[in-house]
Amino acid sequence: MANSLKKYREKRDFKKTGEPHGDAKKKSKKRFSIQKHDASNLHYDFRLEYEGVLKSWAIPKGPSTDPADKRLAIQTEDHPVDYIDFEGTIPEGEYGAGKVMVWDRGTYENITEKDGELRGIGESLDAGHLLINLNGEKLKGGYAFNRMEGEKWLMVKMDDAESDARRNPVSTEPESVKSGKKIKDIE
Ligand code: MN
């Protein structure tokens, strides 16, 4: 775990930013969160709790509930588990400067199969193909993550009872699930 967070810590000055250093103990239940991050380019950070860290992707357009949408998801460095509900402002001049808000959070389940058997998350990530079932406050149901090349993945809603081509929660449900605030009101 410590090694996996090296890059994350090197990029930050913890005397200046309120972001967590990453010392909290991991919990057994697998959680996910999606943070709206108004940095130089507005994006949504998708984070999956796995083996004591948060596997992370930056999604420029945010997630969709429409299976026809393919959303670019750029894999970024692992983050510490206590980042999962971080909300606040990263100071000017610091890495990722700007406001961060918890747009969605909940639990997830790995549903990736290979040859009819459940395949582990680590193996699935290595293979560049991961299917998960989300139970968030906003997002629910299956999502597929498929690697195209390098750090570039596509996040696509799976066609199931929770898919909805008309919902568009990124624009119609902008509030934080933690504070109820919109991103402009985050301190
Ligand atoms: Mn970010």
Side-chain angles (χ1 to χ4, degrees):
M1 173 185 171
N3 278 348
S4 157
L5 292 176
K6 196 167 171 271
K7 241 178 157 176
Y8 170 87
R9 288 180 178 139
E10 279 171 359
K11 287 180 175 176
R12 291 166 172 80
D13 182 348
F14 294 99
K15 291 193 187 82
K16 293 182 182 158
T17 179
E19 295 167 287
H21 184 260
D23 303 312
K25 293 247 161 58
K26 66 170 178 174
K27 294 200 177 110
S28 59
K29 201 163 192 184
K30 288 197 187 79
R31 300 171 298 166
F32 83 96
S33 78
I34 301 172
Q35 285 157 316
K36 187 173 182 179
H37 185 184
D38 193 8
S40 46
N41 292 300
L42 178 76
H43 60 273
Y44 292 74
D45 289 299
F46 187 87
R47 309 198 191 278
L48 281 184
E49 185 174 33
Y50 172 65
E51 291 200 333
V53 295
L54 299 174
K55 308 308 283 186
S56 299
W57 291 261
I59 305 170
K61 289 187 177 173
S64 175
T65 52
D66 181 355
D69 286 340
K70 292 178 172 62
R71 292 291 161 88
L72 177 66
I74 302 152
Q75 193 166 14
T76 57
E77 76 269 26
D78 292 350
H79 275 52
V81 282
D82 34 355
Y83 208 97
I84 201 157
D85 61 355
F86 172 76
E87 204 165 88
T89 300
I90 302 169
E92 208 58 50
E94 291 302 294
Y95 180 74
K99 293 169 190 268
V100 178
M101 178 201 99
V102 184
W103 183 79
D104 197 14
R105 63 180 169 189
T107 56
Y108 79 95
E109 184 191 1
N110 173 29
I111 53 169
T112 320
E113 288 190 354
K114 194 182 183 207
D115 302 327
E117 307 230 327
L118 190 69
R119 185 169 64 181
I121 295 170
E123 214 185 312
S124 301
L125 289 172
D126 288 346
H129 174 68
L130 177 71
L131 303 181
I132 51 175
N133 200 55
L134 298 181
N135 187 18
E137 293 181 42
K138 290 174 182 165
L139 298 189
K140 293 183 192 296
Y143 277 86
F145 283 78
N146 288 302
R147 184 163 50 219
M148 296 191 293
E149 56 164 358
E151 309 303 307
K152 288 183 186 166
W153 295 61
L154 289 178
M155 179 192 190
V156 183
K157 178 75 193 79
M158 291 165 68
D159 200 349
D160 59 22
E162 303 292 348
S163 49
D164 186 344
R166 291 158 306 174
R167 192 172 143 215
N168 195 11
V170 161
S171 61
T172 61
E173 300 166 45
E175 295 86 8
S176 163
V177 293
K178 182 179 180 182
S179 63
K181 291 177 180 172
K182 289 187 180 167
I183 194 135
K184 64 175 172 48
D185 301 318
I186 298 291
E187 280 155 29

